């Protein structure tokens, strides 16, 4: 991923901002644009840019309610009813693959959130496709040309989603090491493929089927019944129901790729969900991502 491409993705995200905020954000030097991970808007506070080390507030950019409304209008192409379902889950996906987290006053009813009113803050995530990110570790994730079930570990913001996306792309399109595979991608939060009006905005491979916005515990059995996948990929396994779905899929002979929040295998073993994932005996490899920004490194560890 070049600095030019990374900075251009930041500038594309800025197109969602009102003019006065966009002008301020575009004044950042290119190196800062290239490493930016999010744009954060909070009513009464300056627009800030999330960098690997910290948030950078921009001067003379106090955010008002109208700014948030403009961003949501642009993200939904002035048709918020189209995004009503994902807004109930606290986000909306804009064209270009930009996922916007939404905070405000929730409207819970009958065990479900029906929407968000009085929006108070937004987080515009800036996804970047790093083609080739998973290629150095791919040989260690194969056995006789077949992918092994793999867990990808890092703390929040550590690059799990980016690595998983590229791994899905490589397995889907095939490489000199492995034939193309049918991959079913569970994109519950719209971050892996960033589907917008039925079309993935981020490259996930030519043999990949994406089930967007569906909880993992529901999505996995649906895909097994309907799509005959050879590989199922899931982002951020965090709930006991997710673990149950993973274990059930493994019994069907499917390779599983999943990410989970953990700084190390030891950290993972110290968490109930992590212990359950390891105890089910599904996964054969763990990819541990360490470091931040340009210093990120991935290493593969075998699992018993």
């Amino acid at each position: 991923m070049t600095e030019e491409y990374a900075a251009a993705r930041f500038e594309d995200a800025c197109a969602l901002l009102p003019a006065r905020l966009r002008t301020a954000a575009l004044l950042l030097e290119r190196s800062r644009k290239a490493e930016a991970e999010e744009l954060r808007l909070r009513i009464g506070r300056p627009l800030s840019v999330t960098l690997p080390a910290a948030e950078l507030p921009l001067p003379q950019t106090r955010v008002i309610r109208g700014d948030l409304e403009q961003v949501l209008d642009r993200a939904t192409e002035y048709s918020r009813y189209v995004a009503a379902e994902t807004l109930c889950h606290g986000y909306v996906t804009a064209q270009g693959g930009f996922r916007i987290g939404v905070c405000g006053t929730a409207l819970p009813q009958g065990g479900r959130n029906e929407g968000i009113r009085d929006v108070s803050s937004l987080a515009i995530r800036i996804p970047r496709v790093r083609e080739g990110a998973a290629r150095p570790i791919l040989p260690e994730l194969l056995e006789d040309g077949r992918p092994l079930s793999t867990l990808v570990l890092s703390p929040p913001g550590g690059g799990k989603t980016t690595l998983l996306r590229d791994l899905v792309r490589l397995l889907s399109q095939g490489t000199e090491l492995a034939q193309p595979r049918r991959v079913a991608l569970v994109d519950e939060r719209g971050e892996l493929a960033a589907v917008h009006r039925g079309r993935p905005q981020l490259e996930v491979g030519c043999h990949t089927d994406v089930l967007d916005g569906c909880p993992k515990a529901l999505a996995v059995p649906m895909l097994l019944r309907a799509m005959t996948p050879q590989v199922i990929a899931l982002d951020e396994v965090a709930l006991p129901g997710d673990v149950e779905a993973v274990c059930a899929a493994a019994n069907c002979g499917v390779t599983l790729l999943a990410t989970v929040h953990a700084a190390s295998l030891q950290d993972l073993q110290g968490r109930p969900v992590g212990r359950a994932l390891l105890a089910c005996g599904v996964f054969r490899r763990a990819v541990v991502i360490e470091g931040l920004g340009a210093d990120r490194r991935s290493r593969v560890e075998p699992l018993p």
Side-chain angles (χ1 to χ4, degrees):
M1 180 172 63
T2 65
E3 183 178 82
E4 182 179 2
Y5 161 75
R9 288 293 286 167
F10 173 87
E11 292 171 357
D12 290 343
C14 289
L16 294 165
L17 299 173
R20 64 184 183 85
L21 301 181
R22 181 168 63 251
T23 298
L26 292 176
L27 290 176
L28 279 177
E29 56 269 32
R30 191 166 78 167
S31 61
R32 287 280 179 88
K33 292 178 182 178
E35 65 179 356
E37 298 172 350
E38 294 175 328
L39 293 162
R40 290 265 179 174
L41 297 87
R42 303 177 178 97
I43 290 179
R45 303 290 183 181
L47 169 69
S48 65
V49 179
T50 304
L51 303 173
E55 282 191 31
L56 174 68
L58 303 183
Q60 307 297 315
T61 58
R62 184 175 180 272
V63 174
I64 61 174
R65 184 176 302 279
D67 296 328
L68 306 186
E69 298 298 327
Q70 282 191 51
V71 170
L72 288 176
D73 283 341
R74 287 177 178 168
T76 59
E77 299 175 12
Y78 299 89
S79 299
R80 289 198 201 178
Y81 73 91
V82 174
E85 185 62 30
T86 63
L87 279 170
C88 290
H89 295 288
Y91 72 93
V92 60
T93 301
Q95 186 172 5
F98 301 103
R99 180 179 180 273
I100 303 170
V102 183
C103 268
T105 302
L107 303 171
Q109 184 175 340
R112 166 185 164 85
N113 183 48
E114 296 297 329
I116 296 177
R117 63 175 174 82
D118 298 332
V119 175
S120 58
S121 62
L122 300 175
I124 305 174
R125 187 77 177 167
I126 306 171
R128 296 178 175 94
V129 175
R130 291 188 59 200
E131 290 198 1
R135 186 171 282 276
I137 62 170
L138 182 61
E140 297 180 77
L141 306 182
L142 301 173
E143 189 174 84
D144 297 327
R146 296 173 60 87
L148 299 170
S149 291
T150 299
L151 277 175
V152 181
L153 285 62
S154 85
K160 295 183 299 298
T161 300
T162 299
L163 185 68
L164 179 61
R165 184 188 301 118
D166 195 56
L167 186 55
V168 165
R169 181 187 66 84
L170 289 172
L171 293 177
S172 174
Q173 70 183 25
T175 70
E176 70 281 2
L177 300 175
Q179 294 181 346
R181 303 269 164 176
R182 290 188 305 277
V183 182
L185 181 58
V186 181
D187 201 4
E188 182 175 356
R189 302 181 308 152
E191 287 192 299
L192 280 163
V195 173
H196 180 76
R197 300 190 184 240
R199 182 173 181 175
Q201 303 291 292
L202 304 174
E203 182 57 59
V204 289
C206 54
H207 298 104
T208 299
D209 303 299
V210 182
L211 186 55
D212 181 62
C214 184
K216 301 172 191 68
L218 297 177
V220 170
M222 288 172 60
L223 290 168
L224 286 169
R225 286 193 298 265
M227 302 307 295
T228 61
Q230 295 170 299
V231 178
I232 293 180
L234 315 91
D235 202 15
E236 296 194 10
V237 175
L239 300 173
D242 300 343
V243 178
E244 292 175 11
V246 164
C247 295
N251 292 328
C252 298
V254 178
T255 297
L256 288 154
L257 310 174
T259 68
V260 63
H261 286 319
S264 64
L265 279 175
Q266 184 178 5
D267 183 23
L268 183 65
Q269 290 166 342
R271 305 179 183 209
V273 166
R275 286 196 298 273
L277 278 173
L278 295 174
C280 70
V282 171
F283 295 98
R284 302 278 305 282
R285 296 289 186 271
V287 179
V288 182
I289 304 175
E290 300 169 320
L292 295 172
D295 294 326
R296 280 182 186 144
R297 296 291 181 272
S298 300
R299 57 183 171 83
V300 178
E301 294 192 18
L303 294 174

